Amino acid sequence: MAETNTGGALLANETEGGEGVTDMIRTSGLVKRYGKVVALDGLDLAVPKGTVFGLLGPNGAGKTTAIRILTTLLEPDEGSVEVAGLDVRKKPGRVRERIGLSGQNAAVDEHLSGYENLEMVGRLYHLGRKRSRARARELLDRFELSEAGDRPAKTYSGGMRRRLDLAAALVAEPEVLFLDEPTTGLDPRSRVQMWETIQELARGGSTVLLTTQYMEEADRLAEDIVVIDRGRKIAHGTSDELKTQIGGERVEVVVASSSDVPAAQAILETLCVGDCQFDEQTRTLTAAVDGGVEALGQVLRRLGDRNVAVVDVGLRRPTLDDVFLSLTGHAAEVADSTDGSSDGSEDERSDVREKEAVR
Amino acid sequence: MSQLTLALADGAVVAKRNLIKIKRLPEVLIWTTMSPIMFVVLFAYVFGNSIQIGGGVSYREFLIAGVFVQTVIFGSTFTGAGLADDMTKGIIDRFRSLPMARSAVLVGRTGSDILYNSISIFVMTLAGLIVGWRIRTSPLEAIGGFLLLLLFSYAVSWIMAYVGLKVSSVEVVQNASFMFIFPITFIANTFVNQDSLPGPLRVFAEWNPVSSVAQAVREAFGNTGGLPEPDVWSLANPIPYTIIWVGIILAIFVPLSVRQYKKTTSR
Ligand SMILES: Nc1ncnc2c1ncn2[C@@H]1O[C@H](COP(=O)(O)OP(=O)(O)OP(=O)(O)O)[C@@H](O)[C@H]1O
Ligand SMILES: [Mg+2]
């Protein structure tokens, strides 16, 4: 229901499975409650074989909850879950044979070395002693952990632990991989390396479901993206489709004096396509624009013409915050909602959707 | 592979991981072996000369079996604490997502704790010999005594495994288990002759499996001296009675613990 009115383009991928594509992951009506908190509120997902799928959402959106249900760690309250054609609730054991998981927190044993961790995981996937050992060495090499491979994982840096955890997920060369925020806490270089690794895996035919809080990451990696908030799907599409919907790049201007805000606002409004925000207090104005650099030039010229003093000006790509503002009308926030307050904001949200649909 | 061999193989992998941890944290092993030494020495010198047990047997010889039994039961808290600790760690999520037997973490933990208990029994034996305790039977009989001790401690470690999973906090496991261990190891023939206990306590002590283990071990070491044969069935047949208890404990706590493991999430 939630996704039906998020704009025409986003519905293109809803009719999946047309040409005999098999979905490696499929959920419908997934619900998970923690007391009063509804972590997942009727989530439907479908991930075709061999694709990278991005689950995008702010803190508390329900990303980890979804991953934990898909990887048999958690029982859903309602709904059906299928991974690799197997019913996760009925055949969790069979599902575990075919998946790899790298959770939000590295699931490695601190006292064991990198090598011992990987070898143990291999044995528990029943690869046999010889194959487990070979695979452990192979993966340590691949993730540049060979040198540290024989010291306890507790001596590893956060990034090294993250890589070890991903290596553990890959030990059995699983058909379906679940990666919960795989690049959170990585430095820029490691992040790019992680991206390359994930792309390589996808090229090798793995199906990957990854969660992220970064639009940029979903954009770069995922063919198909679902944006969730408070356990619900609020948008679905390719990154191009999403970007078209939320508008492309943003021009951001910080003016020197608050008396100049109205003037600057008038200028930006003429160029704004879609989402515009003006904050008097921080004297920051943001506008989604068409044609990037050109629009920025125009803004600067017009600001100059009217003698508006500018502290900072720039062009930036949409962030997750922009996605949320434009899709929900509220900024990304932790879903701590009690029943009463969430009702209120839902009305607000559907209002915004109607506006978008009209546009 | 059958379910059972699979469960044992997976359990062995987890046990190996626990043993690697011992290697990485030798302090733990040092402390586990210190406390048995302390028990033997304390009991031997504090009570050894002041308590008369009758029947012409020296109290020091009499109490060693009791110290052994109490120590291995205390050792089983290690199982509960270890599991409670594991359950708070990220590695449990890894284990849960792997196609391994659901019992493996428990089989591995209780299995590796057999080694812990063997080490502490070995250390206690040495300490006992130093303070003057002697085995007065054949080596074969003595070995039988040690094995029964290990078997019983294995069963008790499954009780503690359940407690550890249920409370998921190392401190609570330790405190809770002391509340349970002190009464069951003291209201028994571990440190006194059960005949000297008042009415209801005496009946409890006679049927307490801790007493039957102590009795069996004491007989296996030939430390009963001239004490009269107990006339209650449990103590007259301590080995079968102990084995029945081991069976009952395992039949209850293995499935219960595995179910609890499946239920408990790491957070
Ligand atoms: N064990 C739990 N008990 C109670 N509430 C929980 C539990 N786990 C998750 N929640 C709640 O469920 C909601 C979704 O949490 P989840 O961890 O799935 O979010 P997330 O999208 O992964 O967030 P993040 O980006 O911070 O990792 C949150 O409101 C969270 O507080
Ligand atoms: Mg999360």
Side-chain angles (χ1 to χ4, degrees), chain A residues 190-212:
Chain A
S190 311
R191 170 170 298 186
V192 172
Q193 279 175 351
M194 184 65 82
W195 285 350
E196 280 164 6
T197 307
I198 294 168
Q199 282 168 329
E200 209 176 292
L201 289 167
R203 276 196 296 275
S206 302
T207 307
V208 182
L209 185 150
L210 63 89
T211 73
T212 177

Side-chain angles (χ1 to χ4, degrees), chain A residues 35-332:
Chain A
K36 270 184 136 183
V37 178
V38 184
L40 288 181
D41 192 2
L43 189 65
D44 302 327
L45 300 173
V47 183
K49 195 179 166 105
T51 62
V52 179
F53 183 90
L55 198 57
L56 187 65
N59 288 142
K63 303 181 296 294
T64 300
T65 306
I67 292 241
R68 291 177 70 83
I69 290 173
L70 286 163
T71 53
T72 77
L73 301 184
L74 202 62
E75 278 266 338
D77 294 325
E78 287 166 36
S80 64
V81 209
E82 243 177 57
V83 169
L86 297 159
D87 187 331
V88 175
R89 303 178 78 169
K90 293 209 184 93
K91 295 202 157 68
R94 299 274 314 281
V95 170
R96 292 183 195 113
E97 285 166 16
R98 306 179 64 172
I99 61 169
L101 165 67
S102 175
Q104 188 162 4
N105 305 307
V108 298
D109 195 307
E110 304 246 291
H111 298 289
L112 263 54
S113 69
Y115 173 78
E116 286 160 346
N117 265 291
L118 295 178
E119 199 246 1
M120 174 177 74
V121 170
R123 297 298 298 276
L124 293 173
Y125 269 115
H126 308 121
L127 298 185
R129 183 190 307 254
K130 217 172 132 192
R131 175 107 185 83
S132 299
R133 288 183 177 170
R135 193 76 186 127
R137 287 288 170 220
E138 214 174 289
L139 285 164
L140 287 174
D141 269 348
R142 171 159 171 195
F143 288 96
E144 297 175 20
L145 290 167
S146 298
E147 254 170 62
D150 290 322
R151 55 179 160 85
K154 69 171 175 210
T155 65
Y156 288 16
S157 74
M160 290 164 80
R161 240 177 264 206
R162 192 79 243 199
R163 297 207 300 273
L164 179 61
D165 194 54
L166 182 66
L170 298 181
V171 164
E173 301 175 83
E175 293 160 73
V176 192
L177 260 178
F178 295 91
L179 310 175
D180 197 358
E181 301 192 21
T183 64
T184 301
L186 294 188
D187 65 23
R189 183 175 144 268
S190 311
R191 170 170 298 186
V192 172
Q193 279 175 351
M194 184 65 82
W195 285 350
E196 280 164 6
T197 307
I198 294 168
Q199 282 168 329
E200 209 176 292
L201 289 167
R203 276 196 296 275
S206 302
T207 307
V208 182
L209 185 150
L210 63 89
T211 73
T212 177
Q213 307 192 21
Y214 308 108
M215 183 65 199
E216 185 196 2
E217 184 162 296
D219 187 4
R220 167 96 181 242
L221 296 173
E223 284 127 84
D224 205 10
I225 300 168
V226 158
V227 185
I228 61 169
D229 182 32
R230 301 178 187 192
R232 294 194 192 179
K233 191 193 284 188
I234 57 172
H236 177 193
T238 63
S239 79
D240 281 342
E241 285 166 349
L242 285 178
K243 271 189 272 180
T244 318
Q245 198 199 359
I246 61 171
E249 286 161 309
R250 264 70 178 155
V251 168
E252 197 167 82
V253 178
V254 183
V255 295
S257 138
S258 35
S259 60
D260 282 337
V261 170
Q265 188 171 336
I267 292 165
L268 284 178
E269 261 168 359
T270 61
L271 289 165
C272 182
V273 291
D275 180 42
C276 312
Q277 302 160 45
F278 309 108
D279 188 337
E280 295 240 7
Q281 246 181 349
T282 58
R283 305 185 305 280
T284 306
L285 302 95
T286 313
V289 294
D290 261 343
V293 181
E294 217 170 278
L296 180 64
Q298 269 191 35
V299 169
L300 281 176
R301 216 173 313 114
R302 291 194 204 174
L303 286 171
D305 288 348
R306 300 189 55 172
N307 289 322
V308 174
V310 167
V311 179
D312 193 12
V313 63
L315 197 62
R316 62 172 176 79
R317 297 161 60 78
T319 63
L320 183 58
D321 248 344
D322 298 320
V323 174
F324 274 88
L325 260 169
S326 110
L327 290 175
T328 67
H330 72 83

